[in-house]
Amino acid sequence: MTTSRISGFYLRSVRERLDDLARAGDLDAETVAFFRRGGGLELPIADRMSENVIATHGLPLSVALNFVLNGRDVLIPMAVEEPSVVAAASNAARMIRESGGFHGEADPSIMTAQVQFDDVPDPAEAAARVVAERARILALGDASIPRLIARDGGCRDLEVRVLDPQAGVLVCDLFVDVKDAMGANIVDTVAEAVAPTLLSLVGGKMGLRILSNLPLRRMSRVRCRVSDDALGGPQVADGIARASRFAELDPLRAVTHNKGFMNGLDAAAVALGQDWRSLEAAAHAYASLGGKYAPMSTWRRVPGGLEGQVQLPLAVGVVGGATGAHPGVQAAFKLLRVATAQELALVLASVGLASNLAALRALATDGIQKGHMRLHQRKFTTPEGA
Ligand code: MEV
């Protein structure tokens, strides 16, 4: 039975923490041995993953504690250089845990492939011709991704948008269920497979054939409650609700609010080998969709506490990419124990909410510097084993 509640974890040595994790996380001996050797990435594997490799680049791999998501305890691997991110997320998760933890649901893993056309004669007519051939185009796309079809994924829908009627600029968006993959390669394959047929239907000049990094049909929604008592009193809760309102009113503040949210999300994404550039691009684009840059998460007063919520498009994968190549990422997945891309997306959104709550609580009380400086000091003390 896995528990994410391990008291005194931060006070223990690295070796003792691994003992704790082996028990609490029910980790297999191979994964424990990998962590005991220091984890990381061997040079020959690194050399196959990228180009012009000369060495590997390390980051601390930590575990955030106390998370409960949809009733299940989860241990969250995090890789981040900034002190206080892991402690802050664990602390906030402990407070949220008292009110039942995080709850959420994620849409199916629908990614968008885009095919661009320019100089299309009569673009509205051309768009109608594509829509009329919808079934044939989706079938063509499916034929290019047999391995995904075998896993019940595939092309689900398409849409045609005329972006500039005068210049005949038209885009065809294809929606593909990529199941447990992040899906970039899959939808790029689909875009390239259907583009010649689309060209024969619309005329003009073919342009780009590439995914959109804003997967608006792949939303994850997470919410949580935290009580006044857990936060340190109603004034603290009021302060956090006011901080949330500040971010909703002011894009300058919203950026910093969102940076704090992404602190946790990115750290878990890096540990789990996810394409964090894509996650960042999507999250900030979504935050601006209303025409004004907005906070990704909000906190509202409810009787006796606060309710936090976030809704984000999150393209993550538990198969493909670094998940198949990087032994550190594979070990991190052993710790996390998620089976689907949707579960992983909910984990990342929850860590974001925890980081955000911790930052707002600190800002609404002592200010951020007190805790930050204490943890920064650690960099100047002698490391274990030195
Ligand atoms: C620092 O990494 C993150 C914060 O600035 C976030 C925030 O202001 O909400 C503390």
Side-chain angles (χ1 to χ4, degrees):
M1 168 68 189
T2 306
T3 174
S4 63
R5 181 99 188 89
I6 311 174
S7 64
F9 193 67
Y10 72 105
L11 293 169
R12 291 158 77 75
S13 68
V14 173
R15 171 167 293 277
E16 290 167 337
R17 283 182 205 135
L18 277 170
D19 293 338
D20 286 349
L21 273 188
R23 273 192 303 274
D26 207 7
L27 274 184
D28 61 88
E30 200 189 327
T31 308
V32 175
F34 172 80
F35 286 138
R36 285 216 192 281
R37 293 194 300 276
L41 180 61
E42 285 162 18
L43 202 48
I45 301 174
D47 194 26
R48 287 198 293 277
M49 285 178 72
S50 184
E51 305 78 41
N52 297 359
V53 169
I54 55 164
T56 59
H57 173 83
L59 276 177
L61 178 71
S62 308
V63 180
L65 302 178
N66 305 323
F67 279 79
V68 181
L69 170 57
N70 286 340
R72 184 173 82 86
D73 274 44
V74 269
L75 291 162
I76 317 268
M78 295 173 89
V80 63
E81 85 297 344
E82 183 176 332
S84 88
V85 170
V86 177
S90 302
N91 242 327
R94 186 178 42 75
M95 295 171 200
I96 292 166
R97 182 187 183 91
E98 287 175 26
S99 303
F102 300 87
H103 303 276
E105 61 283 318
D107 293 341
S109 305
I110 304 289
M111 288 295 273
T112 311
Q114 297 201 292
V115 187
Q116 172 207 353
F117 296 93
D118 299 307
D119 299 333
V120 172
D122 198 345
E125 267 290 309
R129 281 196 297 279
V130 173
V131 172
E133 293 285 339
R134 179 181 174 278
R136 179 160 74 97
I137 294 160
L138 298 185
L140 254 178
D142 281 347
S144 71
I145 46 172
R147 285 194 309 172
L148 181 69
I149 301 297
R151 286 189 276 131
D152 293 329
C155 298
R156 298 288 186 255
D157 197 6
L158 65 74
E159 248 173 38
V160 190
R161 290 176 296 131
V162 177
L163 302 181
D164 183 339
Q166 268 77 45
V169 182
L170 175 149
V171 63
C172 180
D173 297 324
L174 289 112
F175 302 101
V176 186
D177 187 342
V178 298
K179 302 308 267 189
D180 289 318
M182 183 271 184
N185 284 328
I186 295 169
V187 294
D188 291 351
T189 300
V190 167
E192 292 185 8
V194 300
T197 303
L198 288 173
L199 180 66
S200 71
L201 287 168
V202 303
K205 277 195 224 125
M206 190 196 293
L208 309 186
R209 293 149 292 157
I210 187 73
L211 87 161
S212 165
N213 278 115
L214 185 58
L216 287 173
R217 297 194 186 189
R218 198 175 184 175
M219 301 299 296
S220 297
R221 290 162 287 273
V222 169
R223 64 215 156 265
C224 64
R225 291 255 171 136
V226 57
S227 69
D228 289 347
D229 286 350
L231 287 167
Q235 292 91 337
V236 181
D238 284 341
I240 294 168
R242 283 170 50 217
S244 174
R245 185 94 187 111
F246 178 16
E248 288 162 60
L249 292 170
D250 180 18
L252 257 72
R253 173 56 206 160
V255 172
T256 321
H257 177 105
N258 289 346
K259 191 276 181 183
F261 181 93
M262 295 304 280
N263 268 346
L265 189 151
D266 280 341
V270 170
L272 292 157
Q274 302 300 305
D275 182 344
W276 42 270
R277 286 85 58 213
S278 143
L279 293 169
E280 282 279 341
H284 294 287
Y286 188 70
S288 328
L289 266 195
K292 178 179 168 190
Y293 188 82
M296 293 163 187
S297 51
T298 53
W299 297 91
R300 289 274 180 277
R301 279 307 248 147
V302 289
L306 284 172
E307 185 171 76
Q309 70 81 36
V310 60
Q311 169 165 301
L312 274 182
L314 290 173
V316 293
V318 301
V319 295
T323 62
H326 192 304
V329 168
Q330 287 162 345
F333 269 103
K334 291 261 181 67
L335 202 61
L336 183 64
R337 292 170 178 269
V338 293
T340 65
Q342 278 130 310
E343 280 178 73
L344 175 56
L346 297 179
V347 165
L348 296 191
S350 303
V351 189
L353 265 185
S355 291
N356 179 224
L357 177 66
L360 299 189
R361 181 172 178 270
L363 289 165
T365 53
D366 292 337
I368 205 74
Q369 284 307 78
K370 193 171 157 196
H372 256 183
M373 293 326 289
R374 189 164 40 80
L375 289 166
H376 269 292
Q377 281 309 319
R378 272 229 310 250
K379 273 193 281 200
F380 306 108
T381 60
T382 314
E384 182 191 268

